[in-house]
């Protein structure tokens, strides 16, 4: 028995399944859709090449060694290859399972294990720790200390800390955590009863975006409930291969959101929505939770998807902006939602929409990818901003907080300081302006 197969005995659920690997016929039609292949031109960093390596590992012909891990880690998990693939390869499912297998098999230095445990298992899943961290960051960012530290370049003395700090989100007080557990009534007649998954980091760094989402839903006749027992969706953990934490978070959310019969469970973060819609994949070995996950996930909708499916409140004021839209990978390739965000923008009077060339290619955000693979991430971002410049847009809109963060960095470093917003924030702006007319 090979080392890899022996080690797999300790993590039997998390490995790419043979029937999923077998779907790839090695045609190569996905190669040009892949950002890392486009950047490096290396087969080993293409979808086909990565699948080939997974097959080799599954057959015991390749060990889970540093080289293999590097190629799997460098993948953005953007899933553009899935959209391009004519054979229906579920690449996202494969890469997440491969990362779970890697996590069970690799030995990391103790301090890296400790950091991963603290961030993924404790910080992201604890509203208390997130609030404490948020307040500390708020003091650092709003007291002038951040400006001083950046000007003096102190963090450059600590390896990559300066880069990580530069990419970290600004916090927004008051935090959205205060709204969790509350019910917000519909404006006018109640047409729908929906639940809102508020996320984890979004509660401290995208609090205004979450508020805008609730207001837009209220404007559209929704009573919006924020179940008190909801938690982090587990997306960042699943992407990092920490699938047991993902399962724990999935169970918490399934229990929290199925205590009532909602017309839909709404997310405004495409990365979260994608994982939440795919909770069943985490329980393929567990029939009881698999059935619960299927029932729950079938009711989840991205906010743009939900709004495009109802009779939209058209009481929107004109917004004479020149706007372009960057597809969020996990909305377009993960959830196959392309038209709804564009339909929402088209509903705003006087908004001039400019389609972004190559909007289906990742901006380099990909969860914590921009922190872990900053060089590749920035190379992709610079190209993205060159495309944005061709549109002449003054506002860049997307549908995922992670993409917003990355595009804000792009607008500052490689762009013309364009405004970066979520679709729902622009809708909210138009509704609120209409109230003032
Ligand atoms: S993943 Fe799909 S498109 Fe890519 S090589 Fe395999 S079968 Fe072809
Ligand atoms: S998920 Fe994205 S980066 Fe990874 S192989 Fe597919 S296209 Fe390439």
């Amino acid at each position: 028995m090979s080392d890899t197969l022996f080690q797999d005995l300790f993590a039997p659920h998390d490995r790419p399944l043979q029937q999923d690997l077998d779907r790839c016929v090695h045609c190569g039609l996905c190669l040009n859709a892949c950002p890392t292949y486009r950047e490096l031109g290396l087969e080993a960093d293409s979808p086909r090449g990565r699948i080939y390596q997974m097959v080799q590992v599954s057959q015991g012909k390749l060990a889970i060694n540093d080289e293999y891990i590097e190629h799997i880690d460098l993948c953005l998990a953007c899933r553009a290859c899935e959209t391009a693939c004519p054979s229906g390869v579920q690449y996202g499912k494969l890469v997440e399972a491969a990362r779970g297998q890697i996590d069970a098999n690799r030995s990391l230095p103790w301090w890296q294990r400790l950091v991963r445990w603290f961030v993924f298992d404790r910080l992201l899943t604890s509203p208390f720790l997130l609030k404490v961290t948020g307040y500390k960051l708020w003091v650092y960012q709003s007291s002038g200390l951040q400006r001083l530290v950046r000007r003096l370049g102190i963090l450059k003395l600590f390896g990559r800390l300066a880069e990580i700090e530069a990419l970290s989100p600004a916090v927004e007080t008051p935090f959205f955590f205060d709204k969790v557990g509350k019910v917000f009534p519909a404006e006018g007649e109640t047409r729908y009863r929906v639940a809102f998954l508020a996320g984890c980091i979004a509660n401290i760094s995208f609090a205004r975006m979450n508020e805008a989402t609730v207001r837009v839903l209220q404007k559209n006749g929704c009573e919006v409930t924020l179940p008190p027992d909801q938690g982090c969706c587990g997306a960042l953990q699943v992407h990092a291969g920490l699938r047991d934490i993902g399962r724990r978070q999935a169970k918490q959310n399934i229990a929290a959101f199925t205590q009532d019969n909602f017309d839909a469970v709404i997310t405004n973060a495409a990365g979260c929505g994608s994982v939440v819609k795919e909770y069943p994949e985490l329980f393929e070995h567990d029939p009881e939770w698999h059935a619960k996950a299927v029932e729950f996930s079938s009711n989840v909708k991205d906010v743009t998807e939900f709004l495009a499916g109802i009779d939209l409140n058209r009481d929107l004021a004109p917004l004479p902006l020149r706007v372009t839209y960057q597809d969020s990978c996990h909305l377009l390739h993960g959830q196959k939602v392309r038209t709804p965000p564009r339909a929402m923008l088209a509903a705003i009077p006087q908004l001039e929409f400019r389609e972004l060339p190559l909007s289906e290619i990742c901006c380099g955000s990909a969860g914590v990818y921009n922190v872990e693979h900053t060089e590749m991430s920035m190379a992709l971002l610079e190209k993205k901003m060159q495309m944005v410049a061709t549109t002449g847009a003054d506002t860049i809109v997307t549908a995922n907080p992670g993409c917003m963060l990355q595009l804000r960095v792009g607008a500052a470093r490689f762009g013309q300081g364009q405004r970066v917003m979520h679709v729902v924030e622009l809708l909210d702006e138009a509704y609120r302006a209409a109230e003032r007319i």
Side-chain angles (χ1 to χ4, degrees), residues 21-31 43 46-49 51 81-91 94:
L21 291 167
D22 287 345
R23 281 197 189 177
C24 177
V25 295
H26 314 295
C27 64
L29 291 171
C30 53
L31 265 57
E43 177 71 15
S46 76
R48 181 174 64 183
I51 292 171
C81 46
E82 252 184 66
T83 301
C85 176
S87 301
V89 170
Q90 292 175 280
Y91 183 84
L94 286 174

Side-chain angles (χ1 to χ4, degrees), residues 324-328 356 361-365 370 378 380-381 384-385 388 396-421:
T324 195
Y325 177 72
Q326 162 65 17
D327 282 289
S328 156
L356 176 63
I361 297 279
C362 183
C363 64
S365 170
N370 58 353
M378 288 302 123
L380 295 172
L381 182 58
K384 181 61 62 189
M385 295 312 298
V388 169
I396 309 167
V397 172
T398 186
N400 186 46
C403 310
M404 288 166 68
L405 207 57
Q406 175 84 341
L407 292 166
R408 279 178 187 156
V409 172
R413 284 192 193 176
F414 310 118
Q416 288 90 43
Q418 295 94 333
R419 204 157 69 123
V420 178
M421 302 177 78

Side-chain angles (χ1 to χ4, degrees), residues 307-321:
L307 292 170
I310 64 173
D311 184 14
L312 187 76
N313 174 356
R314 301 271 165 180
D315 197 6
L316 296 149
L319 294 182
L321 300 168

Side-chain angles (χ1 to χ4, degrees), residues 33-36 46-47 50 75-81 91:
C34 174
T36 56
S46 76
R50 291 187 175 110
C75 168
L76 294 133
C78 69
R79 300 167 65 169
C81 46
Y91 183 84

Side-chain angles (χ1 to χ4, degrees), residues 224-246:
V224 186
T225 300
L226 285 115
D229 297 331
Q230 64 173 293
C232 163
C233 70
L236 289 174
Q237 292 88 339
V238 170
H239 295 323
L242 300 166
R243 291 164 70 86
D244 281 338
I245 308 175

Side-chain angles (χ1 to χ4, degrees), residues 155-170:
L155 295 179
K156 289 189 182 130
L157 302 172
F158 300 94
R160 299 193 54 247
L161 199 57
E163 192 65 42
I164 293 170
E165 193 268 354
L167 295 171
S168 61

